[in-house]
Each structure stands twice: as structure tokens, then as C-alpha cells.
Amino acid sequence: THPDGKLFAAFYGRMKHIRFYNDEGVLLHDISVNISPFINNISSQNPEELATFYLSPQATSKYIYVLCSNRLSRKESTTPIQELQVWSWDGTPVISYKLNKPVSLIAISETHQKIYAIDQENENQIYTHTLPF
């Protein structure tokens, strides 16, 4: 949710799909990201082999930061090339950063201009980086 409560973004965990709505529930943008790996139809997937893509979206007044794990199934490598994607509130992708360590959650501090991330394999390890915008 946008900090002013007037916009909402829904990032789908099982597909690379995002929808942006206003506070009246009107769909503003309906976006499919067809960059490999991706899935267009999850109904044909075995439930145990469902993809995992978007995790932990965090909103600021200007941007949405979201993890994209790029995993088609649980059987894949435990260290896929994970990304931190940045989206504007008008549905435009701003930038994508490839992460060199797998993380499970992120948090944003606009006050301190920091992004915090928890290591996926060692939850006692927290990474800190200055927000790029």
C-alpha cells in the first residue's frame, strides 16, 4: 500500500504478475513480466512444483521494492539468481539488482534511507544498504 493509502500494488508470488489499484479498487495497471524464468498459467502446475517469484514487497512514497527469487520449483538450486526489483507507482519498472547472497525478507527505512535484508540461510545475519533513490 502506498503510504498515503490511495494506491495498492499486488505482487503475485507464483507468477511474475503485478496489479496496481487505486483506493476505490479500480485496476490501473495489469502487468505480466515475461522475462525468463516465468510462468503464465499456474493451473497446469503440480502444487508441489509451483514457482516462487515475488516476496516481501515494501513501499515508499515513490517506489516499491520487491524481492524476485526467480525459482520455477523447489527442486531447483537453492541459490537461484535473486533480484531486488524497484517499481514506480505508475507500474513502470525502474531497475533490477542481482543479489550476490540469497535473502528472505527486506525492510525499508525512508527516514534513514536504508534497505535491510535478512540472510536466507542465517537469519541472524542482516545486510544493510543505502537506498539508491
Side-chain angles (χ1 to χ4, degrees), residues 24-128:
E24 296 175 359
V26 175
L27 179 64
L28 303 173
H29 307 285
D30 191 13
I31 302 163
S32 289
V33 179
N34 294 329
I35 297 173
S36 188
F38 70 93
I39 292 173
N40 284 327
N41 184 353
I42 64 170
S43 64
S44 64
Q45 299 289 313
N46 180 337
E48 283 124 28
E49 295 180 3
L50 286 173
T52 302
F53 293 116
Y54 290 121
L55 309 163
S56 189
Q58 301 290 309
T60 67
S61 57
K62 291 186 177 182
Y63 302 106
I64 306 161
Y65 297 80
V66 63
L67 293 173
C68 184
S69 65
N70 288 317
R71 287 184 72 158
L72 285 175
S73 75
R74 294 181 193 161
K75 295 178 183 178
E76 282 187 86
S77 165
T78 56
T79 56
I81 298 175
Q82 192 176 41
E83 300 171 333
L84 174 66
Q85 295 180 359
V86 182
W87 292 79
S88 69
W89 281 101
D90 67 1
T92 304
V94 176
I95 196 163
S96 177
Y97 298 99
K98 296 206 183 313
L99 304 180
N100 62 356
K101 301 203 184 244
V103 298
S104 57
L105 293 170
I106 60 171
I108 302 290
S109 171
E110 276 190 284
T111 305
H112 296 99
Q113 289 296 296
K114 298 281 185 191
I115 183 168
Y116 304 93
I118 296 176
D119 188 288
Q120 189 172 4
E121 296 165 2
N122 177 5
E123 60 189 41
N124 293 324
Q125 178 67 49
I126 296 176
Y127 306 110
T128 305

